[in-house]
Amino acid sequence: MCIAQKEWESCIHKCIHDNTDLIELFIAHKIPDLVMTLTGASVVFGLYLYADWRLGLICILVYAAALLAQFSMYGDQGAREDIRGYFTALENINSASMEFARGIPVFKMFSLSALSFSSLKKSVLTYRDFALGFAARGRRGFIIFTILVNFFVFFIFPAVIAINAAHPGDASIALTALFFTALSNAILPSLMNIMNISSAMMTISEGVERIDRIFAAKPLEFPEKTAAPAGFAVAFENVSFSCRRESLSAAGDSAPRQILRDISFRVEEGKSLAIIGRSGSGKSSILSLIARFHDADSGRITIGGADIRNISEKDLMDSVSIAMQQTFMFQGTIRDNIIGGKTGASDAEVLRAAHLAQCDDIIEKYGLDCPVGAGGETLSGGEKQRINIARAILKNAPVLLLDEVSSALDAENERLLNRALRELKKNKTIIMAAHRLDCIRDADQIIMLDRGEIMARGEHQSLMAESPEYRRLWELYETAGRWQLNSDRDSGDNSK
C-alpha cells in the first residue's frame, strides 16, 4: 500500500520551514529564558519567605493556583486535538495558497477572486475556526490566572489583619505587606513568561510529533543478496494495489482506495507495451510499481523472471529508466539535466542521447551550457519533455518506462517524440502509459484499463476488430483530430 505523495508536499514544506524554526527558537531562546525566569521566580519567592514566611507561603500558593488554572487547559485532551487541528489547518492553508498562486493567471482570466477558490476559502475558514476555538478554550483559565496574579493582595490582607490583631503594637507587618505588593511587579513578568513558554512547549510537542512521523515512514526493504534477472522481460502476476492519503497528524489518514485489481501481463525483452485508459484507471500506478516506488498489496512483479522485491536497489535502478509526465528539471544547464541520467557521461554521449530524443534543435538554439532556470522556466513544455527523454536515453537502462510523456506536447513536438520512441524500441523493453493514441499504434501489445482492471488486450489491429470499447475510443480520437475552428469560413459567409 502506498502513501499519496502529492499530499505531503505542503506538509513537509511546513515541517522544514516552520516546525524546525520553532524548535530552533525554543532551544536557542526559550530554554535560556526559562532558566532565567525560574531563577528570578525562585529569588523572589525566597525573598517572600525571608521577609515573612506566612505571607510568603500565601503568595506562593496563590501564584501556584494561577499557573495551575492556566496549565489545566494544556493537559486537556481536547486542547491537544485543537493544537493538532490547528497544525493541520496551517498545512492546508499552505497547500491551498501554493495551488492558488500557481493558478493566478487562470483566476484573472475568469475574473475570479481568492474567495472563488473553494479550497483556499475552506482552509482559511477552518483555520479561523480552530484559532477561535482554541482561544475560547483558554479564555476561562486565562481570566482566572489574570485575576489571581493581579489581585493577590486581597489574599494576604486577611492574614495581615489577623497578624496585626494578634500583635497590635507591631507595625512591621504593614511594611512587610507593602514590600510584598511592590515585589509583585517583579514576579508578574516571570509568571507570564512561564505561561508563554508552556504554550510554546505544547506547540513544539505537536511539531516534533509531525517531524517524527516523517522520519518514521519506513523505506522499502531491499535484499542484501540480489537475484540476477535472466533477461529483461517484465511480467505482472495477479497484482493488486491500493493507495491511501496520509496526513502528518496522528488521526489524518484516509481509508485505502483500490487502484489495481488482479493485473496480469507479460512484455518480452525488446518488445513494447502501451497502456491506455481513462484518467485514474491505474496506468501510472503500473509504472510506479515496476520502478518499485511502492510495493503491491498482492501478486508478483518480475524482471527477467526475478521478483523485483528480491533485486537490490542498485540493480533495479540500473535496469529501469523512467520519464514522467511531470518533467523534473534541475536548476542548472541543459547539460546538467541530461547528464543526470549518467554521472560522468562524455559530451559525445550527451549529444547522442539528445539526438535520439530529437533535441538537436534545442541544442542548436541554446547550447548545452544554457541555464534552464528553476523548474526549466526558460524552456517550453515540449522542450523540457524531450530533454527528460534524453536523460532516460543516456541512462541506457534495458527497461524504459514512459508516463504519458506526449500529453502536453504540440503536434510538432509529438511528431519528434514519436520518432525518438521508434529509435528506442529497437533494443529496449518499453512500457508506456498514454492518452494520445498515435504513439501506441505500433506497440507490440496494448492493454486497456478501466477502474483498475484489464478490459481488453492485444495488438492494434486485433483490438480494432475484437474490442468495441477500443474501437469506440479510436473513433472518438480520430473524430477529435478532425475538429477545426470555422471562423474563417464563417467570416467569409458573413461577407457575402
Side-chain angles (χ1 to χ4, degrees):
M1 184 182 295
C2 80
I3 298 172
Q5 300 295 331
K6 190 174 182 180
E7 305 300 322
W8 276 47
E9 290 181 5
S10 62
C11 302
I12 294 177
H13 179 274
K14 183 181 182 301
C15 276
I16 293 174
H17 288 81
D18 295 347
N19 294 345
T20 52
D21 283 347
L22 289 174
I23 293 173
E24 186 275 334
L25 178 66
F26 184 81
I27 294 174
H29 301 283
K30 294 296 184 181
I31 290 181
D33 286 349
L34 179 61
V35 173
M36 294 176 61
T37 297
L38 293 178
T39 302
S42 299
V43 170
V44 173
F45 289 151
L47 291 174
Y48 277 160
L49 295 173
Y50 178 77
D52 189 292
W53 69 269
R54 295 161 298 184
L55 298 184
L57 188 60
I58 292 174
C59 288
I60 293 173
L61 291 175
V62 170
Y63 290 141
L67 291 175
L68 184 63
Q70 186 64 26
F71 290 162
S72 62
M73 67 163 290
Y74 297 144
D76 186 6
Q77 184 62 30
R80 294 181 181 275
E81 292 297 330
D82 282 348
I83 286 288
R84 186 173 294 119
Y86 173 80
F87 268 74
T88 301
L90 279 178
E91 291 164 0
N92 291 338
I93 283 182
N94 188 35
S95 176
S97 298
M98 291 171 63
E99 187 177 0
F100 177 75
R102 296 188 187 109
I104 284 177
V106 176
F107 285 100
K108 291 181 66 176
M109 182 181 299
F110 292 97
S111 301
L112 300 175
S113 66
L115 293 179
S116 303
F117 188 45
S118 60
S119 178
L120 179 59
K121 180 179 179 181
K122 181 181 177 181
S123 64
V124 170
L125 294 178
T126 302
Y127 172 78
R128 179 201 65 183
D129 293 341
F130 272 112
L132 293 177
F134 189 72
R137 180 181 291 277
R139 182 170 51 197
R140 182 177 63 180
F142 186 74
I143 290 174
I144 296 174
F145 172 84
T146 304
I147 291 174
L148 290 177
V149 299
N150 285 288
F151 299 100
F152 80 99
V153 292
F154 291 106
F155 294 93
I156 66 172
F157 276 174
V160 170
I161 293 172
I163 295 172
N164 189 57
H167 305 279
D170 187 4
S172 63
I173 190 65
L175 295 176
T176 303
L178 290 176
F179 172 74
F180 273 54
T181 303
L183 202 58
S184 66
N185 292 326
I187 193 64
L188 183 58
S190 296
L191 295 178
M192 295 295 293
N193 204 18
I194 290 174
M195 185 187 68
N196 292 333
I197 292 174
S198 300
S199 176
M201 287 179 65
M202 189 171 183
T203 304
I204 288 298
S205 177
E206 177 63 22
V208 169
E209 286 184 12
R210 288 170 182 259
I211 293 175
D212 287 343
R213 195 167 175 81
I214 293 177
F215 287 112
K218 295 181 179 180
L220 296 177
E221 295 182 0
F222 285 87
E224 295 182 2
K225 187 176 181 180
T226 184
F232 295 99
V234 178
F236 271 49
E237 300 173 7
N238 307 114
V239 172
S240 294
F241 174 64
S242 58
C243 189
R244 61 186 168 92
R245 297 181 184 274
E246 181 167 335
S247 168
L248 292 179
S249 63
D253 300 350
S254 67
R257 181 172 65 93
Q258 193 75 30
I259 305 296
L260 299 173
R261 298 178 180 85
D262 198 29
I263 299 295
S264 296
F265 63 80
R266 180 178 177 85
V267 187
E268 297 296 339
E269 181 176 354
K271 300 296 183 180
S272 60
L273 168 70
I275 308 170
I276 61 173
R278 68 180 70 184
S279 296
S281 60
K283 301 185 298 296
S284 298
S285 295
I286 288 178
L287 303 186
S288 296
L289 289 175
I290 297 172
R292 213 184 166 205
F293 294 158
H294 315 291
D295 271 341
D297 299 340
S298 61
R300 200 167 76 110
I301 304 170
T302 64
I303 295 179
D307 192 319
I308 61 173
R309 290 170 295 190
N310 298 327
I311 302 175
S312 69
E313 183 177 13
K314 181 182 184 304
D315 289 347
L316 180 61
M317 293 301 101
D318 287 344
S319 301
V320 176
S321 184
I322 186 167
M324 307 296 291
Q325 178 184 7
Q326 299 296 330
T327 57
F328 175 80
M329 302 293 290
F330 299 103
Q331 191 169 353
T333 64
I334 292 176
R335 183 200 309 274
D336 295 332
N337 278 277
I338 296 177
I339 212 170
K342 182 181 178 182
T343 304
S346 64
D347 282 356
E349 291 175 302
V350 171
L351 291 173
R352 180 178 180 277
H355 174 71
L356 290 175
Q358 308 301 309
C359 296
D360 293 337
D361 59 324
I362 303 175
I363 304 302
E364 182 179 351
K365 180 179 179 182
Y366 299 107
L368 282 175
D369 296 316
C370 173
V372 299
E377 60 186 3
T378 62
L379 303 174
S380 70
E383 290 171 338
K384 288 190 288 187
Q385 192 59 275
R386 280 185 280 157
I387 289 176
N388 194 31
I389 295 290
R391 182 192 303 160
I393 293 173
L394 181 61
K395 184 178 179 181
N396 199 28
V399 178
L400 179 61
L401 309 177
L402 303 174
D403 186 12
E404 299 185 16
V405 291
S406 64
S407 61
L409 303 184
D410 56 29
E412 177 61 18
N413 277 309
E414 185 179 9
R415 182 184 65 80
L416 293 174
L417 179 61
N418 288 336
R419 183 188 299 172
L421 293 180
R422 283 193 292 272
E423 290 293 326
L424 291 175
K425 287 178 183 177
K426 296 176 181 179
N427 57 0
K428 295 185 184 298
T429 304
I430 297 180
I431 301 176
M432 68 179 78
H435 273 306
R436 295 190 176 183
L437 302 185
D438 284 342
C439 61
I440 73 166
R441 187 193 299 265
D442 298 329
D444 297 302
Q445 184 182 173
I446 301 169
I447 62 174
M448 187 173 182
L449 292 180
D450 185 43
R451 298 179 182 179
E453 297 179 342
I454 297 177
M455 60 184 305
R457 75 174 76 205
E459 296 179 351
H460 172 70
Q461 294 299 333
S462 64
L463 286 173
M464 288 293 290
E466 300 171 5
S467 174
E469 295 85 0
Y470 183 82
R471 186 166 55 250
R472 180 174 178 273
L473 185 65
W474 259 99
E475 290 172 353
L476 290 173
Y477 182 76
E478 291 176 339
T479 300
R482 291 193 295 268
W483 288 352
Q484 61 180 359
L485 296 175
N486 295 323
S487 56
D488 293 340
R489 187 184 66 186
D490 292 343
S491 61
D493 293 341
N494 292 334
S495 63
K496 292 180 181 179

mmCIF file of all heavy atoms in Angstrom, residues 56-93:
data_model
loop_
_atom_site.group_PDB
_atom_site.id
_atom_site.type_symbol
_atom_site.label_atom_id
_atom_site.label_comp_id
_atom_site.label_asym_id
_atom_site.label_seq_id
_atom_site.Cartn_x
_atom_site.Cartn_y
_atom_site.Cartn_z
ATOM 1 N N GLY A 56 4.541 34.910 52.704
ATOM 2 C CA GLY A 56 5.216 34.327 51.551
ATOM 3 C C GLY A 56 4.560 33.038 51.105
ATOM 4 O O GLY A 56 4.408 32.777 49.900
ATOM 5 N N LEU A 57 4.163 32.217 52.067
ATOM 6 C CA LEU A 57 3.510 30.956 51.713
ATOM 7 C C LEU A 57 2.171 31.208 51.029
ATOM 8 O O LEU A 57 1.815 30.523 50.064
ATOM 9 C CB LEU A 57 3.320 30.121 52.985
ATOM 10 C CG LEU A 57 2.829 28.679 52.770
ATOM 11 C CD1 LEU A 57 3.814 27.909 51.902
ATOM 12 C CD2 LEU A 57 2.620 27.978 54.116
ATOM 13 N N ILE A 58 1.433 32.219 51.517
ATOM 14 C CA ILE A 58 0.151 32.557 50.874
ATOM 15 C C ILE A 58 0.380 33.009 49.432
ATOM 16 O O ILE A 58 -0.332 32.593 48.506
ATOM 17 C CB ILE A 58 -0.570 33.662 51.683
ATOM 18 C CG1 ILE A 58 -1.010 33.121 53.045
ATOM 19 C CG2 ILE A 58 -1.771 34.192 50.904
ATOM 20 C CD1 ILE A 58 -1.586 34.164 53.961
ATOM 21 N N CYS A 59 1.392 33.863 49.242
ATOM 22 C CA CYS A 59 1.679 34.342 47.882
ATOM 23 C C CYS A 59 2.051 33.189 46.950
ATOM 24 O O CYS A 59 1.584 33.112 45.804
ATOM 25 C CB CYS A 59 2.804 35.363 47.927
ATOM 26 S SG CYS A 59 2.329 36.948 48.649
ATOM 27 N N ILE A 60 2.896 32.309 47.414
ATOM 28 C CA ILE A 60 3.320 31.171 46.592
ATOM 29 C C ILE A 60 2.128 30.296 46.228
ATOM 30 O O ILE A 60 1.992 29.853 45.077
ATOM 31 C CB ILE A 60 4.400 30.355 47.324
ATOM 32 C CG1 ILE A 60 5.687 31.186 47.458
ATOM 33 C CG2 ILE A 60 4.686 29.048 46.591
ATOM 34 C CD1 ILE A 60 6.753 30.538 48.298
ATOM 35 N N LEU A 61 1.225 30.064 47.179
ATOM 36 C CA LEU A 61 0.041 29.246 46.905
ATOM 37 C C LEU A 61 -0.874 29.925 45.887
ATOM 38 O O LEU A 61 -1.442 29.264 45.003
ATOM 39 C CB LEU A 61 -0.709 28.963 48.201
ATOM 40 C CG LEU A 61 -0.004 28.022 49.193
ATOM 41 C CD1 LEU A 61 -0.811 27.925 50.501
ATOM 42 C CD2 LEU A 61 0.178 26.650 48.574
ATOM 43 N N VAL A 62 -1.020 31.248 45.993
ATOM 44 C CA VAL A 62 -1.867 31.979 45.039
ATOM 45 C C VAL A 62 -1.284 31.904 43.634
ATOM 46 O O VAL A 62 -1.988 31.632 42.646
ATOM 47 C CB VAL A 62 -2.028 33.445 45.479
ATOM 48 C CG1 VAL A 62 -2.706 34.270 44.372
ATOM 49 C CG2 VAL A 62 -2.851 33.528 46.751
ATOM 50 N N TYR A 63 0.033 32.128 43.522
ATOM 51 C CA TYR A 63 0.666 32.062 42.208
ATOM 52 C C TYR A 63 0.615 30.633 41.642
ATOM 53 O O TYR A 63 0.421 30.443 40.437
ATOM 54 C CB TYR A 63 2.112 32.523 42.303
ATOM 55 C CG TYR A 63 2.256 34.006 42.559
ATOM 56 C CD1 TYR A 63 3.233 34.497 43.422
ATOM 57 C CD2 TYR A 63 1.426 34.919 41.917
ATOM 58 C CE1 TYR A 63 3.379 35.857 43.646
ATOM 59 C CE2 TYR A 63 1.557 36.286 42.144
ATOM 60 C CZ TYR A 63 2.526 36.740 43.008
ATOM 61 O OH TYR A 63 2.652 38.083 43.234
ATOM 62 N N ALA A 64 0.794 29.648 42.507
ATOM 63 C CA ALA A 64 0.714 28.261 42.050
ATOM 64 C C ALA A 64 -0.683 27.940 41.535
ATOM 65 O O ALA A 64 -0.855 27.262 40.513
ATOM 66 C CB ALA A 64 1.096 27.314 43.177
ATOM 67 N N ALA A 65 -1.711 28.451 42.232
ATOM 68 C CA ALA A 65 -3.096 28.239 41.773
ATOM 69 C C ALA A 65 -3.337 28.914 40.431
ATOM 70 O O ALA A 65 -4.041 28.387 39.566
ATOM 71 C CB ALA A 65 -4.075 28.761 42.825
ATOM 72 N N ALA A 66 -2.739 30.118 40.241
ATOM 73 C CA ALA A 66 -2.903 30.827 38.969
ATOM 74 C C ALA A 66 -2.289 30.027 37.823
ATOM 75 O O ALA A 66 -2.902 29.869 36.758
ATOM 76 C CB ALA A 66 -2.251 32.209 39.063
ATOM 77 N N LEU A 67 -1.060 29.521 38.039
ATOM 78 C CA LEU A 67 -0.418 28.718 36.998
ATOM 79 C C LEU A 67 -1.175 27.418 36.748
ATOM 80 O O LEU A 67 -1.307 26.979 35.602
ATOM 81 C CB LEU A 67 1.024 28.410 37.402
ATOM 82 C CG LEU A 67 1.990 29.605 37.407
ATOM 83 C CD1 LEU A 67 3.349 29.185 37.946
ATOM 84 C CD2 LEU A 67 2.150 30.175 35.996
ATOM 85 N N LEU A 68 -1.688 26.807 37.811
ATOM 86 C CA LEU A 68 -2.442 25.570 37.653
ATOM 87 C C LEU A 68 -3.700 25.793 36.829
ATOM 88 O O LEU A 68 -4.063 24.966 35.983
ATOM 89 C CB LEU A 68 -2.793 25.005 39.031
ATOM 90 C CG LEU A 68 -3.510 23.652 39.039
ATOM 91 C CD1 LEU A 68 -2.613 22.576 38.423
ATOM 92 C CD2 LEU A 68 -3.913 23.261 40.459
ATOM 93 N N ALA A 69 -4.363 26.928 37.068
ATOM 94 C CA ALA A 69 -5.574 27.246 36.298
ATOM 95 C C ALA A 69 -5.249 27.388 34.815
ATOM 96 O O ALA A 69 -6.014 26.969 33.947
ATOM 97 C CB ALA A 69 -6.217 28.522 36.836
ATOM 98 N N GLN A 70 -4.094 27.990 34.517
ATOM 99 C CA GLN A 70 -3.706 28.162 33.123
ATOM 100 C C GLN A 70 -3.224 26.855 32.498
ATOM 101 O O GLN A 70 -3.549 26.532 31.355
ATOM 102 C CB GLN A 70 -2.607 29.218 33.013
ATOM 103 C CG GLN A 70 -2.220 29.576 31.596
ATOM 104 C CD GLN A 70 -3.358 30.212 30.818
ATOM 105 O OE1 GLN A 70 -4.260 30.819 31.389
ATOM 106 N NE2 GLN A 70 -3.338 30.050 29.511
ATOM 107 N N PHE A 71 -2.443 26.060 33.282
ATOM 108 C CA PHE A 71 -1.908 24.810 32.754
ATOM 109 C C PHE A 71 -2.979 23.752 32.555
ATOM 110 O O PHE A 71 -2.777 22.800 31.807
ATOM 111 C CB PHE A 71 -0.831 24.258 33.681
ATOM 112 C CG PHE A 71 0.435 25.060 33.686
ATOM 113 C CD1 PHE A 71 1.357 24.932 34.714
ATOM 114 C CD2 PHE A 71 0.704 25.948 32.662
ATOM 115 C CE1 PHE A 71 2.520 25.678 34.721
ATOM 116 C CE2 PHE A 71 1.859 26.701 32.657
ATOM 117 C CZ PHE A 71 2.772 26.570 33.692
ATOM 118 N N SER A 72 -4.101 23.902 33.231
ATOM 119 C CA SER A 72 -5.148 22.875 33.145
ATOM 120 C C SER A 72 -5.628 22.694 31.711
ATOM 121 O O SER A 72 -5.981 21.596 31.300
ATOM 122 C CB SER A 72 -6.316 23.240 34.060
ATOM 123 O OG SER A 72 -6.908 24.467 33.642
ATOM 124 N N MET A 73 -5.629 23.772 30.930
ATOM 125 C CA MET A 73 -6.088 23.659 29.535
ATOM 126 C C MET A 73 -5.058 22.942 28.669
ATOM 127 O O MET A 73 -5.403 22.283 27.695
ATOM 128 C CB MET A 73 -6.385 25.042 28.961
ATOM 129 C CG MET A 73 -5.172 25.931 28.783
ATOM 130 S SD MET A 73 -5.485 27.330 27.674
ATOM 131 C CE MET A 73 -5.633 26.508 26.101
ATOM 132 N N TYR A 74 -3.763 23.034 29.028
ATOM 133 C CA TYR A 74 -2.742 22.396 28.213
ATOM 134 C C TYR A 74 -2.752 20.884 28.369
ATOM 135 O O TYR A 74 -2.382 20.155 27.450
ATOM 136 C CB TYR A 74 -1.366 22.938 28.590
ATOM 137 C CG TYR A 74 -1.200 24.413 28.328
ATOM 138 C CD1 TYR A 74 -0.454 25.221 29.181
ATOM 139 C CD2 TYR A 74 -1.789 25.014 27.220
ATOM 140 C CE1 TYR A 74 -0.301 26.580 28.940
ATOM 141 C CE2 TYR A 74 -1.646 26.358 26.978
ATOM 142 C CZ TYR A 74 -0.905 27.144 27.837
ATOM 143 O OH TYR A 74 -0.764 28.468 27.591
ATOM 144 N N GLY A 75 -3.149 20.423 29.527
ATOM 145 C CA GLY A 75 -3.179 18.976 29.734
ATOM 146 C C GLY A 75 -4.460 18.331 29.261
ATOM 147 O O GLY A 75 -4.585 17.109 29.255
ATOM 148 N N ASP A 76 -5.425 19.148 28.823
ATOM 149 C CA ASP A 76 -6.708 18.636 28.365
ATOM 150 C C ASP A 76 -6.546 17.971 26.996
ATOM 151 O O ASP A 76 -5.891 18.511 26.099
ATOM 152 C CB ASP A 76 -7.702 19.795 28.282
ATOM 153 C CG ASP A 76 -9.102 19.335 27.941
ATOM 154 O OD1 ASP A 76 -9.329 18.110 27.889
ATOM 155 O OD2 ASP A 76 -9.967 20.191 27.720
ATOM 156 N N GLN A 77 -7.145 16.794 26.832
ATOM 157 C CA GLN A 77 -7.050 16.087 25.552
ATOM 158 C C GLN A 77 -7.693 16.895 24.436
ATOM 159 O O GLN A 77 -7.237 16.880 23.292
ATOM 160 C CB GLN A 77 -7.728 14.718 25.673
ATOM 161 C CG GLN A 77 -7.601 13.869 24.407
ATOM 162 C CD GLN A 77 -6.162 13.545 24.055
ATOM 163 O OE1 GLN A 77 -5.314 13.436 24.942
ATOM 164 N NE2 GLN A 77 -5.863 13.411 22.769
ATOM 165 N N GLY A 78 -8.760 17.619 24.773
ATOM 166 C CA GLY A 78 -9.403 18.458 23.762
ATOM 167 C C GLY A 78 -8.478 19.540 23.254
ATOM 168 O O GLY A 78 -8.476 19.879 22.063
ATOM 169 N N ALA A 79 -7.644 20.095 24.155
ATOM 170 C CA ALA A 79 -6.684 21.114 23.734
ATOM 171 C C ALA A 79 -5.637 20.512 22.802
ATOM 172 O O ALA A 79 -5.221 21.149 21.832
ATOM 173 C CB ALA A 79 -6.014 21.733 24.958
ATOM 174 N N ARG A 80 -5.216 19.287 23.079
ATOM 175 C CA ARG A 80 -4.256 18.625 22.196
ATOM 176 C C ARG A 80 -4.852 18.393 20.815
ATOM 177 O O ARG A 80 -4.173 18.534 19.796
ATOM 178 C CB ARG A 80 -3.815 17.297 22.815
ATOM 179 C CG ARG A 80 -3.011 17.475 24.109
ATOM 180 C CD ARG A 80 -2.569 16.131 24.667
ATOM 181 N NE ARG A 80 -1.830 16.293 25.901
ATOM 182 C CZ ARG A 80 -0.519 16.546 25.960
ATOM 183 N NH1 ARG A 80 0.169 16.654 24.854
ATOM 184 N NH2 ARG A 80 0.092 16.687 27.127
ATOM 185 N N GLU A 81 -6.126 18.036 20.777
ATOM 186 C CA GLU A 81 -6.798 17.857 19.491
ATOM 187 C C GLU A 81 -6.893 19.182 18.750
ATOM 188 O O GLU A 81 -6.752 19.234 17.523
ATOM 189 C CB GLU A 81 -8.192 17.269 19.709
ATOM 190 C CG GLU A 81 -8.195 15.842 20.228
ATOM 191 C CD GLU A 81 -7.571 14.874 19.237
ATOM 192 O OE1 GLU A 81 -7.647 15.133 18.011
ATOM 193 O OE2 GLU A 81 -6.984 13.869 19.682
ATOM 194 N N ASP A 82 -7.130 20.281 19.514
ATOM 195 C CA ASP A 82 -7.188 21.597 18.878
ATOM 196 C C ASP A 82 -5.835 21.987 18.295
ATOM 197 O O ASP A 82 -5.760 22.548 17.196
ATOM 198 C CB ASP A 82 -7.639 22.656 19.899
ATOM 199 C CG ASP A 82 -9.144 22.605 20.138
ATOM 200 O OD1 ASP A 82 -9.836 21.929 19.364
ATOM 201 O OD2 ASP A 82 -9.611 23.237 21.109
ATOM 202 N N ILE A 83 -4.751 21.703 19.036
ATOM 203 C CA ILE A 83 -3.412 22.007 18.526
ATOM 204 C C ILE A 83 -3.139 21.200 17.260
ATOM 205 O O ILE A 83 -2.602 21.708 16.268
ATOM 206 C CB ILE A 83 -2.352 21.697 19.597
ATOM 207 C CG1 ILE A 83 -2.389 22.763 20.700
ATOM 208 C CG2 ILE A 83 -0.957 21.632 18.984
ATOM 209 C CD1 ILE A 83 -1.842 24.100 20.269
ATOM 210 N N ARG A 84 -3.531 19.915 17.289
ATOM 211 C CA ARG A 84 -3.330 19.065 16.116
ATOM 212 C C ARG A 84 -4.139 19.596 14.933
ATOM 213 O O ARG A 84 -3.643 19.658 13.799
ATOM 214 C CB ARG A 84 -3.731 17.634 16.457
ATOM 215 C CG ARG A 84 -3.420 16.618 15.363
ATOM 216 C CD ARG A 84 -3.695 15.204 15.834
ATOM 217 N NE ARG A 84 -2.775 14.828 16.898
ATOM 218 C CZ ARG A 84 -3.147 14.492 18.122
ATOM 219 N NH1 ARG A 84 -4.425 14.474 18.440
ATOM 220 N NH2 ARG A 84 -2.242 14.180 19.041
ATOM 221 N N GLY A 85 -5.392 19.972 15.195
ATOM 222 C CA GLY A 85 -6.205 20.539 14.129
ATOM 223 C C GLY A 85 -5.672 21.868 13.630
ATOM 224 O O GLY A 85 -5.744 22.179 12.434
ATOM 225 N N TYR A 86 -5.095 22.650 14.539
ATOM 226 C CA TYR A 86 -4.503 23.933 14.177
ATOM 227 C C TYR A 86 -3.336 23.723 13.211
ATOM 228 O O TYR A 86 -3.225 24.421 12.197
ATOM 229 C CB TYR A 86 -4.052 24.638 15.453
ATOM 230 C CG TYR A 86 -3.257 25.908 15.241
ATOM 231 C CD1 TYR A 86 -3.894 27.105 14.933
ATOM 232 C CD2 TYR A 86 -1.875 25.908 15.378
ATOM 233 C CE1 TYR A 86 -3.165 28.270 14.750
ATOM 234 C CE2 TYR A 86 -1.143 27.067 15.193
ATOM 235 C CZ TYR A 86 -1.787 28.249 14.887
ATOM 236 O OH TYR A 86 -1.066 29.395 14.706
ATOM 237 N N PHE A 87 -2.475 22.762 13.502
ATOM 238 C CA PHE A 87 -1.344 22.471 12.626
ATOM 239 C C PHE A 87 -1.835 21.967 11.268
ATOM 240 O O PHE A 87 -1.306 22.348 10.224
ATOM 241 C CB PHE A 87 -0.435 21.432 13.273
ATOM 242 C CG PHE A 87 0.677 22.022 14.090
ATOM 243 C CD1 PHE A 87 0.413 22.580 15.323
ATOM 244 C CD2 PHE A 87 1.969 22.036 13.623
ATOM 245 C CE1 PHE A 87 1.424 23.137 16.090
ATOM 246 C CE2 PHE A 87 3.003 22.583 14.366
ATOM 247 C CZ PHE A 87 2.730 23.143 15.605
ATOM 248 N N THR A 88 -2.838 21.099 11.289
ATOM 249 C CA THR A 88 -3.370 20.582 10.027
ATOM 250 C C THR A 88 -3.976 21.706 9.200
ATOM 251 O O THR A 88 -3.813 21.753 7.972
ATOM 252 C CB THR A 88 -4.430 19.508 10.308
ATOM 253 O OG1 THR A 88 -3.836 18.441 11.065
ATOM 254 C CG2 THR A 88 -4.987 18.940 9.010
ATOM 255 N N ALA A 89 -4.678 22.629 9.870
ATOM 256 C CA ALA A 89 -5.270 23.762 9.163
ATOM 257 C C ALA A 89 -4.188 24.640 8.536
ATOM 258 O O ALA A 89 -4.353 25.128 7.411
ATOM 259 C CB ALA A 89 -6.137 24.581 10.118
ATOM 260 N N LEU A 90 -3.073 24.835 9.249
ATOM 261 C CA LEU A 90 -1.969 25.611 8.689
ATOM 262 C C LEU A 90 -1.394 24.930 7.452
ATOM 263 O O LEU A 90 -1.076 25.589 6.450
ATOM 264 C CB LEU A 90 -0.879 25.793 9.740
ATOM 265 C CG LEU A 90 -1.076 26.898 10.787
ATOM 266 C CD1 LEU A 90 0.086 26.889 11.772
ATOM 267 C CD2 LEU A 90 -1.208 28.257 10.128
ATOM 268 N N GLU A 91 -1.256 23.610 7.514
ATOM 269 C CA GLU A 91 -0.735 22.870 6.362
ATOM 270 C C GLU A 91 -1.682 22.978 5.173
ATOM 271 O O GLU A 91 -1.241 23.137 4.028
ATOM 272 C CB GLU A 91 -0.516 21.408 6.747
ATOM 273 C CG GLU A 91 0.634 21.208 7.734
ATOM 274 C CD GLU A 91 0.598 19.845 8.395
ATOM 275 O OE1 GLU A 91 -0.314 19.064 8.081
ATOM 276 O OE2 GLU A 91 1.478 19.558 9.235
ATOM 277 N N ASN A 92 -2.976 22.907 5.441
ATOM 278 C CA ASN A 92 -3.959 23.011 4.357
ATOM 279 C C ASN A 92 -3.940 24.406 3.734
ATOM 280 O O ASN A 92 -4.073 24.549 2.516
ATOM 281 C CB ASN A 92 -5.349 22.682 4.879
ATOM 282 C CG ASN A 92 -5.502 21.219 5.238
ATOM 283 O OD1 ASN A 92 -4.750 20.370 4.756
ATOM 284 N ND2 ASN A 92 -6.456 20.898 6.096
ATOM 285 N N ILE A 93 -3.766 25.441 4.574
ATOM 286 C CA ILE A 93 -3.662 26.798 4.033
ATOM 287 C C ILE A 93 -2.423 26.915 3.151
ATOM 288 O O ILE A 93 -2.463 27.513 2.069
ATOM 289 C CB ILE A 93 -3.615 27.831 5.182
ATOM 290 C CG1 ILE A 93 -5.009 28.039 5.768
ATOM 291 C CG2 ILE A 93 -3.080 29.168 4.686
ATOM 292 C CD1 ILE A 93 -5.055 29.065 6.871
#
